[in-house]
Amino acid sequence: NYYYINYCNIGSADAQDASVTVTLDPFLSVVNTQLPYTSLGNDQYGFALGNLAPGACGTFWIQMEVSCDAVLGQTHCVSAEAFPQSC
């Protein structure tokens, strides 16, 4: 399974040291990623994006596999949060 993470700097100033934190369902595990990542524990992974100019956008993918312990038809949630988040 591939998950695609889209991000944008919708602010009017550079986003310094931007990053995305992705939280996986416990039944999912990372197989491969387009960007290097840091394991943050508790099924969370950090992806450094560098500085983003106003209006800059991008996408990266994460390849995951589902555990054999998952129930057939079970829903698996993934969330992503971008930083910084300041006004």
Side-chain angles (χ1 to χ4, degrees):
N1 298 316
Y2 283 84
Y3 285 77
Y4 291 86
I5 310 299
N6 300 307
Y7 58 88
C8 287
N9 176 1
I10 59 171
S12 59
D14 285 355
Q16 300 293 318
D17 299 318
S19 64
V20 171
T21 298
V22 177
T23 304
L24 304 184
D25 183 284
F27 288 100
L28 298 175
S29 59
V30 174
V31 174
N32 196 8
T33 63
Q34 185 174 8
L35 297 178
Y37 66 90
T38 302
S39 177
L40 305 174
N42 296 325
D43 299 313
Q44 291 188 321
Y45 299 86
F47 295 85
L49 305 175
N51 298 334
L52 295 177
C57 295
T59 301
F60 64 93
W61 54 261
I62 305 171
Q63 182 184 13
M64 299 179 220
E65 67 181 9
V66 180
S67 168
C68 293
D69 294 332
V71 176
L72 186 62
Q74 182 178 1
T75 299
H76 302 284
C77 297
V78 175
S79 64
E81 191 171 7
F83 299 95
Q85 296 181 359
S86 57
C87 295

